[in-house]
Amino acid sequence: MWSVPESTSDRVDWPVSDPPPWPASVRATLWWHRSTPAARELGPDDRTIPVTVAMMVDYLDSPVGPYREILASPVLHAPGKRIGPMPRMVVPFIAVDSEPSVHGGRFHWQLPKVLAEFDGDVQQKFTATGDGWRVRSDTRMLGPRLPIAGALGFAQPESGGGLAVASARLTGSFRYARVSVEAEGPTLPNWLASGTHHGAVILGGKMTTGAAKHR
């Protein structure tokens, strides 16, 4: 499973989770910035878009109950025959505070989930802390409340050389935001840039993550 040190675990005995689709009610903050040279080195071998995307998510309910999450994608897959018509995240770093969610990420979508602790509100000041790493976010919402309807896609490398391609469809509302970020860890500061970035706050929404297709 492709991951960075902050998202690596030797543990394999996770509580089994239900297969997708996974419907959930969510609140979240996401941000993006131009990818650093280190981020571009982490990207896949095919065409990529040099944008790093990260998010803090509060799952109010889900098939494994409520949990919180941080994830980051160093670059985006460019649209193409293997992944379809939209850019997709490639995620080497993702952490949650739910053991069944770790199982779901690893076994259903090839997402390298590990356990972490979280403190605060994902839409305001929030901290994610794991084994040797920490990410802090401080969010300032700006602008009006607007509707949102769309999808977030990801394409995860598989051991045999293929990709696990899936999408999470979201409806709800959002506001533009500026997100101040501090990242600590063995590799995160090299590609998840500290500083203040453009972002968006998902004020509330319904999201459904579908099953992965193997390509």
Side-chain angles (χ1 to χ4, degrees):
M1 182 171 291
W2 179 65
S3 64
V4 294
E6 291 88 346
S7 203
T8 300
S9 175
D10 294 328
R11 179 176 168 181
V12 296
D13 59 333
W14 303 101
V16 175
S17 62
D18 290 340
W22 275 22
S25 300
V26 299
R27 302 167 66 250
T29 290
L30 59 98
W31 67 92
W32 56 89
H33 58 76
R34 186 168 183 82
S35 296
T36 68
R40 298 177 200 187
E41 291 177 4
L42 280 174
D45 294 333
D46 55 1
R47 295 185 305 118
T48 60
I49 299 171
V51 174
T52 295
V53 177
M55 61 187 73
M56 304 279 204
V57 187
D58 186 359
Y59 293 86
L60 305 179
D61 55 58
S62 81
V64 295
Y67 67 95
R68 293 178 290 182
E69 176 178 271
I70 178 174
L71 68 85
S73 169
V75 294
L76 300 177
H77 282 282
K81 182 181 293 186
R82 295 182 75 192
I83 69 164
M86 71 175 182
R88 293 181 185 267
M89 295 182 290
V90 52
V91 182
F93 170 65
I94 179 169
V96 296
D97 58 359
S98 161
E99 292 190 350
S101 179
V102 173
H103 175 274
R106 287 178 169 264
F107 287 88
H108 303 322
W109 295 289
Q110 297 296 307
L111 291 164
K113 289 187 178 182
V114 293
L115 289 175
E117 295 181 353
F118 300 91
D119 183 62
D121 185 327
V122 295
Q123 296 180 348
Q124 299 178 34
K125 292 185 177 182
F126 196 63
T127 302
T129 306
D131 185 9
W133 61 266
R134 178 177 290 115
V135 180
R136 300 182 183 90
S137 62
D138 188 352
T139 300
R140 183 165 62 98
M141 286 185 269
L142 303 165
R145 182 184 189 119
L146 298 169
I148 186 171
L152 296 171
F154 52 91
Q156 294 299 107
E158 297 185 295
S159 57
L163 291 174
V165 179
S167 297
R169 300 195 175 277
L170 173 70
T171 59
S173 60
F174 80 100
R175 291 181 66 186
Y176 171 74
R178 296 287 283 172
V179 186
S180 297
V181 178
E182 295 180 7
E184 305 170 16
T187 68
L188 285 179
N190 298 328
W191 63 272
L192 186 62
S194 295
T196 300
H197 309 297
H198 295 289
V201 172
I202 307 302
L203 300 169
K206 298 290 186 181
M207 185 172 74
T208 300
T209 306
K213 297 180 180 180
H214 303 279
R215 297 174 179 172

